[in-house]
């Protein structure tokens, strides 16, 4: 197929027709879509957005084709995937559905300085999957609702989808549909995920019990420290060792991993009381458990793990590592509670799966809310404040 | 509780705490939230959005409390509703899941002139449910992902939720969660819906067969005509009869109804081949069936129903009713195909359920794509073009 033919094909908004072409001509259609955009803009007959954006088929298929194959999707239980009014998927008997959605917004959750578009895609999927991990669920299906700026560079969408699929593939999630729209504002990415869970086994926030220990599944504050560096106006002079530390912090901000295996391990252990994912910071999530369970949570500063990269950067930047640990968000580690008698068993199960596990406090009925026993032995209430990217 | 107490409570972002208050004090907290916004803005210590918007609990609970009760949600199979990391819901054995999402964007799908915020909520839910109707599915659960402008008037969110719940209640849908974020741009509302369908029974776009008749479930073009009136710069002089006609057209633009019962009737009939919902206009949706099924569709202008309000307004405005019928979107009627031998049976089933049913053409293998046999007996190809609100 030559470019003219591809151009007129793409002008037909023939998203579905992509399926009939071989791989080479798909590239022509893609190229022609770009050209058609310019053509339409120039002629002012159709707005840029009307070609790729309003054609849900065309745009989604375009990015989707190279990724999950029909065979891969079928193996995940997909009966009808992208391309009809809705997706149809299988669910196992004896399981319940777990449903959640998460939205990332340009200039609120990310900007050009802090995230590449592939990171935005990866992290949007990771954030939604993190909600499933906090219930102990198995992630299964995702819908991608993408709202992109009119006149957005179309290659940015492609990068976004690369990140989305990278995360979905890593966690065995089939992307089965969604919606694509344009806006006069910035990018908005909503990921809706569906998981399954053994009936009656979901791990809630409201089931913490006085006497429980409080644990987390990994060190905190790294994402917020990485973001702090990305937002720094005057660059620090760094040696190689420091640069590598900061690279790792940035990676934790851009590509956090949902703790699906930890959630499953906790569910299988039968020993976890309450569970929550740390999306808005340790303080805020501990508060959510305390309020939902009508208990107090006492965190012990001496027991809270300190990531060496975080400590190094906090010293370099002259800032408080503990602030990032308590109030830094988007770490997607889990915070949970369990009876003291089960601590050794849970620790053993975590070790089997090569997972990290740190006891950081206990559940009490002596007060309501969340307190921190500081290194100086003074007990202070922790503010219930959330995470703000660009405050 | 007095206002000061309510104010400090709301400053704790104590969404979960709402549950402990009686109805009177909920109002105080709501009022206090408004005041706290002003306080925060004035003090510049926290941005307006950080209080209600970033607290998913607080905002969603605030609007949710007066609506679907725990008992109502339980009767719909909700195990864990709004307030944990994710919702947990029951699914029936022998059924498959049907998943879809739909996004409405300010200044793309609506603006202040064309829609009230309660209409935006209603229509966003209706659009998502329409996708389920086009598969023949039973709608069950919805997630609401709301992105609102920083400094948005908080009462607008309340109106939006009123419309969302009005539509959800009308179709027996439990709203079980979502996400709430802010943006520097305009409103973005994504509704994700989950339905269930008898295993293997989903009605697809790809199953139209030569010899089938083509039917629709109601007259088209009314929504586009209503929108045209709302976008008119110079108001027409109208008599009472004309005003009432236009009111009905506007209502069809603002509060279209998903054809859930028609979808279920078609699935139960066992006689429907292909099915699609008319969200982007008759032409575009007929094209989707023709392409997915690799057939031609011949529409017969003489058989296409004409709504009297539409005809009246087209004459008043000096515009083409047929253009709105073919290219006007967001009607949420269904277009389907069925074997000729089953026409009488389907019509009888539709009558039983007091549903509208119009045969408007046939499926053929003589050509590919969509053609219209005009009143002048000339056959023309119909452009595969979508629906543009503010072109």
């Amino acid at each position: 197929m030559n470019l003219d033919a591809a151009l007129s094909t793409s002008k037909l908004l023939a998203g579905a027709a992509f399926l009939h072409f071989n791989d080479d001509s798909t590239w022509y259609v893609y190229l022609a879509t770009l050209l058609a955009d310019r053509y339409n803009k120039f002629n002012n007959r159709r707005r840029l957005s009307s070609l790729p954006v309003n054609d849900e088929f065309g745009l989604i298929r375009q990015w989707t084709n190279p990724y999950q194959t029909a065979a891969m999707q079928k193996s995940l239980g997909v009966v009808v995937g992208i391309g009809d009014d809705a997706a149809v998927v299988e669910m196992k008997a004896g399981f319940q559905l777990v449903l959640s959605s998460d939205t990332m917004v340009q200039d609120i959750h990310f900007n050009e300085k802090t995230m590449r578009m592939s990171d935005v895609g990866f992290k949007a999927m990771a954030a939604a999957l993190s909600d499933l991990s906090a219930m102990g669920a198995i992630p299964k299906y995702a819908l991608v609702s993408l709202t992109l700026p009119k006149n957005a560079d179309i290659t940015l969408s492609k990068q976004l989808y690369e990140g989305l699929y990278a995360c979905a593939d890593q966690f065995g999630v089939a992307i089965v549909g969604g919606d694509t729209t344009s806006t006069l504002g910035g990018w908005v990415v909503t990921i809706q995920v569906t998981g399954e869970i053994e009936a009656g086994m979901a791990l809630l926030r409201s089931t913490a019990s006085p006497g429980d220990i409080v644990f987390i599944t990994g060190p905190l504050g790294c994402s917020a420290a990485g973001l702090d560096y990305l937002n720094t106006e005057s660059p620090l002079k760094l040696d190689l060792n420091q640069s590598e530390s900061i690279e790792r912090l940035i990676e934790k901000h851009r590509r956090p991993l949902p703790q699906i295996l930890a959630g499953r391990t906790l569910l299988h252990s039968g020993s976890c009381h309450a569970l929550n994912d740390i999306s808005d910071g340790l303080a805020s999530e501990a508060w959510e458990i305390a309020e939902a369970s009508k208990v107090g949570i006492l965190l012990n500063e001496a027991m809270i793990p300190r990531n060496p990269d975080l400590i190094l950067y906090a010293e370099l930047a002259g800032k408080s590592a503990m602030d990032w640990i308590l109030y830094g968000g988007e770490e997607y580690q889990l915070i949970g509670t369990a009876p003291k008698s089960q601590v050794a068993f849970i620790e053993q199960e975590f070790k089997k799966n090569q997972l990290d596990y740190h006891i950081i406090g206990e559940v009490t009925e002596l007060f309501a809310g969340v307190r921190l026993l500081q290194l100086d032995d003074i007990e202070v209430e922790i503010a219930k404040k959330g995470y703000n990217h660009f405050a």
Side-chain angles (χ1 to χ4, degrees), chain A:
Chain A
M1 188 167 60
N2 66 23
L3 264 179
D4 273 349
L7 189 65
S8 64
T9 304
S10 72
K11 278 196 281 182
L12 273 177
L13 308 180
F18 281 17
L19 291 178
H20 309 310
F21 303 147
N22 60 35
D23 284 342
D24 281 348
S25 53
T26 302
W27 166 246
Y28 276 118
V29 174
Y30 170 55
L31 192 60
T33 306
L34 293 175
L35 291 172
D37 283 348
R38 287 170 190 272
Y39 173 82
N40 287 323
K41 233 191 306 193
F42 185 72
N43 282 267
N44 202 22
R45 280 165 51 187
R46 255 213 216 112
R47 294 175 304 172
L48 169 69
S49 65
S50 70
L51 185 67
V53 173
N54 290 340
D55 180 18
E56 300 168 30
F57 272 158
L59 188 59
I60 293 178
R61 275 249 171 74
Q62 197 166 306
W63 314 130
T64 309
N65 267 349
Y67 297 106
Q68 302 181 340
T69 62
M72 185 268 205
Q73 290 226 335
K74 199 179 167 193
S75 76
L76 293 171
V78 179
V79 182
V80 178
I82 295 171
D84 214 302
D85 295 294
V88 181
V89 299
E90 299 280 5
M91 286 305 295
K92 281 209 285 276
F95 283 72
Q96 290 168 331
L97 293 187
V98 186
L99 307 173
S100 189
S101 70
D102 206 276
T103 300
M104 282 185 68
V105 182
Q106 185 179 6
D107 295 326
I108 302 294
H109 301 101
F110 65 90
N111 62 29
E112 286 181 3
K113 218 166 127 186
T114 65
M115 304 271 280
R116 299 159 300 197
M117 284 312 279
S118 58
D119 299 323
V120 172
F122 189 97
K123 191 167 175 175
M125 182 64 70
L129 294 178
S130 179
D131 284 330
L132 298 188
S133 78
M135 308 300 281
I138 306 164
K140 298 283 288 180
Y141 308 111
L143 298 173
V144 175
S145 300
L146 174 60
T147 302
L148 57 158
K150 261 178 195 304
N151 307 319
D153 176 356
I154 200 166
T155 59
L156 293 178
S157 302
K158 193 161 167 52
Q159 290 163 21
L160 183 100
Y161 271 90
E162 280 164 9
L164 275 170
Y165 275 97
C167 186
D169 286 348
Q170 188 168 343
F171 293 95
V173 172
I175 296 180
V176 294
D179 195 7
T180 311
T181 50
S182 63
T183 173
L184 305 184
W187 294 78
V188 179
V189 189
T190 292
I191 308 295
Q192 185 280 329
V193 287
T194 301
E196 62 185 15
I197 199 162
E198 293 80 356
M201 298 283 281
L203 299 168
L204 308 181
R205 293 175 179 169
S206 53
T207 40
S209 210
D212 282 358
I213 57 94
V214 176
F215 64 85
I216 53 174
T217 57
L220 304 172
C222 296
S223 168
L227 177 63
D228 183 87
Y229 178 78
L230 291 167
N231 278 329
T232 304
E233 295 293 340
S234 48
L236 302 164
K237 273 191 185 171
L238 303 172
D239 64 27
L240 185 63
N241 183 40
Q242 292 164 338
S243 288
E244 285 175 358
S245 278
I246 289 172
E247 275 306 310
R248 285 190 292 268
L249 296 174
I250 290 173
E251 185 72 5
K252 283 185 176 159
H253 178 69
R254 290 180 169 167
R255 300 243 167 177
L257 295 173
Q259 299 299 306
I260 300 292
L261 182 58
R264 293 298 293 162
T265 303
L266 289 162
L267 179 138
H268 281 305
S269 79
S271 303
C272 181
H273 276 171
L275 194 63
N276 208 354
D277 71 321
I278 304 177
S279 48
D280 292 331
L282 176 59
S284 155
E285 310 296 341
W287 264 99
E288 283 182 357
I289 291 179
E291 289 187 340
S293 299
K294 302 191 179 81
V295 295
I297 287 181
L298 180 63
L299 303 175
N300 186 333
E301 188 173 353
M303 297 170 84
I304 294 176
R306 282 162 175 71
N307 175 287
D309 297 327
L310 173 72
I311 299 305
L312 187 149
Y313 177 66
E315 278 168 15
L316 269 176
K319 293 184 177 170
S320 158
M322 203 58 196
D323 255 18
W324 287 323
I325 287 172
L326 288 173
Y327 306 112
E330 304 193 336
E331 205 84 20
Y332 304 137
Q333 295 294 341
L334 300 175
I335 174 173
T337 83
K340 276 202 182 74
S341 61
Q342 300 298 310
V343 167
F345 176 62
I346 292 180
E347 202 157 352
Q348 174 195 314
E349 295 300 299
F350 267 61
K351 266 198 188 135
K352 265 192 215 163
N353 289 328
Q354 296 178 294
L355 292 166
D356 207 5
Y357 178 77
H358 306 268
I359 297 174
I360 61 166
E362 60 186 27
V363 178
T364 175
E365 52 193 342
L366 296 180
F367 58 85
V370 180
R371 295 187 186 174
L372 180 72
L373 180 62
Q374 296 179 152
L375 297 177
D376 60 10
D377 261 352
I378 295 172
E379 204 176 292
V380 294
E381 181 169 278
I382 298 296
K384 191 195 168 189
K385 66 178 186 190
Y387 180 45
N388 223 330
H389 286 71
F390 309 112

